[in-house]
């Protein structure tokens, strides 16, 4: 989902554009996007929408527009992108990842570019930034002073970026490119002195000194006639530089219309330094950005091919960031085979992507890491691993943090790692485009968190683990889901045997089956039960089974220091909205864990539509399971957790920390 302010106000999902309605509704959205993740008072919206005295029903009009926007965003799949439009008293808040807004991406790219210090990197960054513009900013909004001021501010930022791109081209000796990019902007803004000064220098360095001087005299006349002022320091400085260079006879003639002299890098102040003061080397020594008609500019942050100072990997071994293989890993042959089919498929020409999804404690991380170790040889250029902390105690890992770790592991010098997630993502994709690399992204919360971390190129493969189905990745990135379910009796008993020794399980197979049932077949719970029995070697399996029948103690017994079912479930429930958490608590009161939407609505006191939406979200998070159409089940352990007051769940579940590895089901559920 992309939000556009740099041109007509628009919201797009994939290749489709959402219908936003009339100008005032677009204006409401624009004002919320100009202040993302910030509450915007209703009065501010009213003042911005009506230039004159607002009508008596203005509040109702704004509320209606907000309601329709909320519905439109929901229809476009806003939740999958982390987008939510909420009401806070008499104010509204549009919560979303700011990188979805083109104006935010524009600002990040411009901030990252350093036209004087690193012109080779600045050119692709600034070209990408300016490429986000599709016309005058905020087109389609009402013509009130607040929107005019906002549009003017955005246009000023665009012009600043144009000037910076001109300086970057100049520092690289690409003076024809500089003149072309500055000329059209100067025609539309003839009183912007910094723009005219840059154009004068670019024209002069291509041998067009008469054109350069004509721009000065034309601008001087306009300043005098329209503003009654003389040229400022920047414009005078460019004019005086040209006159001094002419007097000294150091101007080289242009070789032809394509700017042969411009490529020489000669400047009016002498030889090899640019008149902007950037101290650039002659163009012959600098990498040249791709010209129009070529394959395009380098990815943001990446040096052009052959650049000696590019951010490419240092010589050394390929990165091997996988955690150690899961201990006593058993079973999951069907899922491992499915992963192999998805991640080694080269017939599409795309980078394959698999999503391993399932409930907390089912062993998603273990399955993904096991597959990664077995198939590491198929990815000789390295294996990257990151815990996205989507279901951990603290905040989820921001993409920029993960990308920095990846780029450093790939050999990028620290000083060349972009600060913005957008530029870092582009650099990452560029570096791995031709590599055979495996990326494992563990414990993801949302599709939006994953997308910036996906590699480019057909030789890479990515496996993501999550408690959510991540339907957004399936829809937009052709991710293939690989679901994990609870273990059956045989697999569960085999896991207990691997942990405790086969003899101890064989002496009481009925108790082993009972333990599997009491643990809901979750590897995490079975491992915690095995830890209890390992610490008590004289206990028979039946004794622990008898203790687990006490529902008040079961969650506490199925905990082992930092690995516990309650801790894992707590992280899932913490990500729910208040309405969905209340619905889950209501579902926990059912006697056998089976119900339909009507029964759930009666238990929760919600209407049918609200209940159905909540059940769908709980099923997506694997907190309930839709066994058949309108037949939902909730596991016993989830019921026990959801019945308890939130403040007491930590006591019932033992440790309140996530499992090793941060996933809440991978490090502790190796099965």
């Amino acid at each position: 989902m992309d939000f556009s302010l740099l041109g007509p106000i628009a919201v797009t999902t994939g290749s489709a554009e959402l219908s936003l309605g009339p100008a005032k509704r677009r204006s409401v959205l624009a004002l919320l996007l100009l202040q993302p993740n910030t509450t915007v008072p209703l009065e501010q919206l009213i003042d911005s929408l009506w230039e004159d005295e607002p009508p008596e029903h203005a509040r109702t009009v704004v509320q209606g527009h907000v309601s329709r926007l909320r519905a439109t965003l929901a229809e476009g799949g806003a939740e999958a992108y982390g987008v939510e439009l909420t009401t806070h008293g008499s104010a509204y808040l549009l919560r979303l990842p700011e990188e979805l807004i083109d104006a935010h991406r524009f600002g990040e790219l411009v901030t990252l570019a350093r036209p004087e210090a690193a012109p080779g990197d600045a050119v692709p960054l600034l070209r990408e930034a300016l490429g986000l513009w599709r016309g005058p900013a905020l087109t389609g909004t009402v013509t009130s002073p607040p929107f005019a001021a906002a549009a003017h501010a955005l246009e000023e930022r665009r012009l600043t970026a144009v000037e910076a791109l001109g300086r970057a081209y100049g520092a690289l000796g690409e003076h024809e490119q500089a003149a072309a990019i500055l000329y059209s902007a100067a025609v539309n803004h003839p009183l912007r002195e910094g723009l005219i000064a840059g154009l004068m220098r670019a024209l002069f360095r291509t041998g067009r000194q008469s054109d350069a001087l004509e721009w000065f005299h034309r601008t001087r006349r306009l300043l005098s006639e329209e503003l009654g002022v003389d040229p400022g320091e920047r414009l005078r400085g460019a004019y005086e530089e040209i006159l001094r260079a002419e007097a000294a006879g150091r101007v080289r003639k242009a070789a032809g219309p394509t700017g042969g002299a411009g490529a020489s890098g000669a400047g009016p102040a002498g030889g090899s330094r640019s008149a902007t003061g950037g101290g650039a080397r002659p163009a012959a020594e600098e990498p040249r950005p791709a010209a129009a008609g070529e394959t395009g500019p380098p990815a943001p942050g990446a040096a052009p091919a052959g650049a000696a100072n590019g951010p490419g990997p240092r010589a050394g071994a390929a990165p091997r960031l996988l955690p150690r293989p899961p201990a006593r890993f058993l079973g999951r042959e069907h899922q491992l085979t499915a992963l192999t089919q998805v991640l080694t498929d080269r017939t599409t020409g795309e980078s394959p992507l698999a999503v391993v999804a399932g409930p907390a404690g089912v062993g998603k991380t273990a399955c993904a890491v096991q597959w990664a170790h077995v198939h590491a040889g198929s990815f000789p250029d390295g294996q990257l691993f990151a815990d996205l902390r989507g279901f951990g105690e603290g905040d989820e890992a921001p993409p920029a943090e993960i990308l920095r770790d990846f780029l450093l592991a790939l050999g990028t010098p620290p000083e060349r790692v972009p600060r913005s997630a957008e530029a870092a993502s582009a650099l990452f994709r560029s570096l791995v485009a031709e590599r055979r690399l495996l990326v494992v992204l563990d414990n993801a919360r949302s599709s939006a968190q994953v997308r910036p971390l996906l590699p480019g190129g057909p030789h890479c493969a990515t496996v993501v683990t999550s408690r959510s189905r991540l339907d957004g990745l399936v829809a937009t990135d052709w991710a293939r889901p690989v679901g994990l379910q609870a273990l059956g009796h045989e697999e569960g008993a085999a896991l207990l045997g691997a942990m405790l020794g086969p003899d101890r399980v064989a002496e009481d197979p009925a108790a082993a089956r009972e333990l599997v049932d009491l643990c809901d077949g979750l590897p995490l719970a079975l491992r915690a039960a095995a830890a209890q029995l390992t610490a008590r070697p004289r206990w028979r399996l039946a004794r622990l089974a008898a203790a687990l029948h006490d529902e008040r103690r079961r969650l506490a017994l199925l905990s082992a220091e930092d690995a516990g079912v309650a801790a894992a479930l707590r992280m899932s429930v913490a990500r729910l909205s208040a309405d969905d958490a209340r619905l889950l608590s209501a579902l926990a009161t059912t006697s056998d864990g089976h119900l339909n939407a009507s029964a759930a609505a009666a238990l929760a006191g919600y209407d049918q539509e609200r209940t159905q939406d909540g059940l769908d979200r709980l099923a997506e998070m694997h907190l309930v399971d839709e066994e058949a159409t309108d037949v939902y089940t909730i596991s016993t352990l989830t019921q026990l957790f959801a019945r308890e007051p939130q403040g007491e769940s930590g006591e019932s579940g033992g440790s309140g920390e996530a499992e090793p590895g941060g996933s809440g089901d991978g490090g502790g559920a190796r099965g």
Side-chain angles (χ1 to χ4, degrees), residues 360-361 391-393 467 524 555-556 558-575 637 641 644 648-660 662-665:
F391 295 89
E393 288 282 1
R467 300 181 192 184
L524 175 61
L555 289 174
L558 295 179
S559 298
E561 287 196 80
D562 58 353
V565 176
L569 287 169
R570 184 180 301 110
M571 296 305 102
S572 290
V573 174
R575 297 296 190 254
L637 293 178
F641 179 84
E644 297 181 351
E648 297 177 12
S649 59
E651 297 175 9
S652 174
S655 169
E657 300 176 9
E659 289 103 14
S663 69
D665 57 42

Side-chain angles (χ1 to χ4, degrees), residues 167-189:
R167 296 197 305 275
Y169 274 131
L172 292 172
E174 296 283 345
H175 303 302
E176 286 285 356
Q177 293 275 24
I181 193 70
L182 294 170
Y183 180 84
S184 59
V187 168
N188 292 316
H189 301 273

Side-chain angles (χ1 to χ4, degrees), residues 113 115 119 122-128 130 159-172 174 177-178 181-182:
V123 165
L125 289 170
L126 291 167
R127 285 181 57 168
E128 182 179 352
L130 291 167
L159 292 174
T160 299
V162 169
E163 293 177 11
L165 180 56
R167 296 197 305 275
Y169 274 131
L172 292 172
E174 296 283 345
Q177 293 275 24
I181 193 70
L182 294 170

Side-chain angles (χ1 to χ4, degrees), residues 4 13 24 40 205 225 232 259 265 308 318 358 363 385 407 450 489 522 536 557 571 582 653 661 668:
S4 300
T13 56
K24 280 189 168 56
V40 179
R205 288 173 186 144
E225 292 170 1
F385 178 91
L407 291 172
V450 170
H489 286 125
L522 289 178
R536 299 166 177 83
L557 289 170
M571 296 305 102
R582 285 193 294 271

Side-chain angles (χ1 to χ4, degrees), residues 46-202:
I46 292 174
D47 291 342
S48 300
L49 291 180
W50 283 274
E51 185 171 359
D52 300 321
E53 186 70 21
E56 293 183 2
H57 61 285
R59 296 175 67 90
T60 303
V61 171
V62 173
Q63 290 166 353
H65 286 314
V66 170
S67 178
R68 285 303 309 148
L69 282 174
R70 186 180 290 123
T72 300
L73 294 174
E75 291 167 3
E79 184 178 4
Y81 297 90
V83 178
E84 184 180 19
L85 176 53
T86 59
T87 303
H88 294 263
S90 60
Y92 300 102
L93 170 67
L94 182 57
R95 183 179 292 109
L96 77 168
E98 293 187 16
E99 60 268 18
L100 299 182
I101 307 173
D102 59 357
H104 176 81
R105 298 197 301 273
F106 171 81
E108 289 287 322
L109 290 166
V110 172
T111 300
L112 184 65
R114 297 179 298 157
E116 285 80 22
D121 291 341
V123 165
L125 289 170
L126 291 167
R127 285 181 57 168
E128 182 179 352
L130 291 167
L132 295 171
W133 285 75
R134 301 173 300 110
L138 306 184
T139 298
T141 58
V142 298
T143 57
S144 66
F147 283 105
H152 177 74
L154 289 169
E155 176 65 8
E156 283 293 309
R157 293 169 61 189
R158 186 187 72 84
L159 292 174
T160 299
V162 169
E163 293 177 11
L165 180 56
R167 296 197 305 275
Y169 274 131
L172 292 172
E174 296 283 345
H175 303 302
E176 286 285 356
Q177 293 275 24
I181 193 70
L182 294 170
Y183 180 84
S184 59
V187 168
N188 292 316
H189 301 273
L191 296 179
R192 191 177 178 92
E193 296 186 51
L195 194 60
I196 308 302
L199 175 61
M200 288 171 57
R201 289 189 172 98

Side-chain angles (χ1 to χ4, degrees), residues 18 93 114 143 157 178 186 199 253 278 383 441 446 460 463 497 511 589 597 629 659:
L18 302 184
L93 170 67
R114 297 179 298 157
T143 57
R157 293 169 61 189
L199 175 61
K253 299 293 184 181
Q383 304 92 45
L441 302 173
S446 66
C460 296
V463 56
T589 63
T629 302
E659 289 103 14

Side-chain angles (χ1 to χ4, degrees), residues 368-395:
V369 171
Q370 174 72 9
W371 188 93
H373 276 285
V374 170
H375 293 270
S378 299
F379 302 95
D381 293 321
Q383 304 92 45
L384 301 176
F385 178 91
D387 174 17
L388 305 190
R389 306 196 301 270
F391 295 89
E393 288 282 1
D395 295 334

